[in-house]
Amino acid sequence: RQKDGSTYFDVDYQGNKNLLDAASASGVTKFVYVHVLNAAKMQDVALVRAKQAFVDDLESSGLDYTIVCPTGFFSDMEEFFTMAASGRAVLFGDGANRFKPIHGADLAEVCVDAHTASTRRIDAGGPDVLTYREIAELAFETLEKPARITCIPRKLSAAAVTLMRWITPVRVHGPVHFLASVMTMDVVGQTFGQRRLADHFRHLRARSAGSSDVGTSPQPTH
């Protein structure tokens, strides 16, 4: 949702390339980069293409590295909560694809551990496997609202994205193209962390209701 005129290549490629160059010049011994899971399947998506271009540079830099590929963040899942609050959720595809979102704090621990890991790649997901429909239903359930879900068939969403790429700027069609791609494939990865999306949604509800726990972070459910 870049609104200052910067492109994905300005930010996700060149911004990271600047960091890599500075790291190399400063004698940094290892570089940990947060990429995206299933990148190879989404090379037609501008955001992913820019991130992959940086990964290519990182892999050929001569620097030791680990690439962390998360499924998607709880903060991204807040869009489902927002849609449920408005009364209707819209899904690309039939909503049956599986997803393992991860909390940012859990991913941060993965990144810290990656600094001393010998592996070059970590596919990081959270503790729960959910379908996109189940995530939408969870948001409605948390808000105690009837689930109203509209599914956009895959072919129709692909046609819509193609049209948007012709008539809208990348800051508009870019996020839609990314979401349409991610929501029509399984995005699972390995299991990390203990924080659960249901707890995060409950926290969002409490925050939106002006609860006294505003500003606190949801704790892991053991």
Side-chain angles (χ1 to χ4, degrees):
R1 296 177 178 175
Q2 203 78 19
K3 296 181 179 179
D4 61 0
S6 298
T7 67
Y8 289 125
F9 265 83
D10 292 333
V11 178
D12 291 278
Y13 172 74
Q14 191 60 55
N16 286 303
K17 182 62 163 58
N18 293 344
L19 291 173
L20 178 60
D21 291 344
S24 297
S26 302
V28 167
T29 57
K30 184 163 186 178
F31 199 104
V32 177
Y33 177 65
V34 178
H35 193 20
V36 59
L37 191 60
N38 290 346
K41 299 179 181 179
M42 295 186 285
Q43 286 305 294
D44 60 330
V45 179
L47 167 62
V48 178
R49 191 163 59 248
K51 293 175 75 68
Q52 184 60 49
F54 172 72
V55 167
D56 293 342
D57 282 4
L58 176 60
E59 291 176 336
S60 62
S61 67
L63 209 62
D64 188 17
Y65 65 86
T66 294
I67 298 168
V68 179
C69 300
T71 52
F73 306 125
F74 280 18
S75 56
D76 299 325
M77 298 303 96
E78 292 178 11
E79 191 64 34
F80 286 87
F81 190 86
T82 299
M83 289 191 291
S86 72
R88 181 170 297 278
V90 178
L91 306 180
F92 293 104
D94 59 10
N97 287 96
R98 299 176 304 141
F99 192 53
K100 285 178 68 175
I102 185 170
H103 193 286
D106 287 332
L107 183 65
E109 294 179 6
V110 174
C111 292
V112 171
D113 291 342
H115 182 261
T116 55
S118 59
T119 181
R120 289 291 176 90
R121 177 189 170 105
I122 301 172
D123 293 342
D128 297 321
V129 180
L130 301 164
T131 67
Y132 292 100
R133 178 177 286 275
E134 287 172 339
I135 293 173
E137 290 172 344
L138 178 61
F140 281 109
E141 180 184 340
T142 304
L143 290 165
E144 299 181 349
K145 288 189 172 189
R148 295 188 175 93
I149 301 172
T150 298
C151 294
I152 302 175
R154 185 176 303 193
K155 289 184 178 180
L156 181 58
S157 64
V161 167
T162 299
L163 178 62
M164 290 181 67
R165 291 171 72 178
W166 281 99
I167 65 175
T168 64
V170 68
R171 66 179 176 84
V172 174
H173 71 250
V176 175
H177 191 189
F178 178 71
L179 287 174
S181 299
V182 169
M183 290 178 66
T184 51
M185 66 176 68
D186 289 342
V187 186
V188 180
Q190 303 170 49
T191 299
F192 292 93
Q194 297 179 330
R195 294 169 176 84
R196 290 188 147 80
L197 187 60
D199 295 331
H200 186 69
F201 279 174
R202 283 192 288 269
H203 172 70
L204 291 178
R205 178 180 176 177
R207 187 176 65 187
S208 64
S211 174
S212 60
D213 65 354
V214 169
T216 63
S217 298
Q219 297 301 308
T221 299
H222 297 281

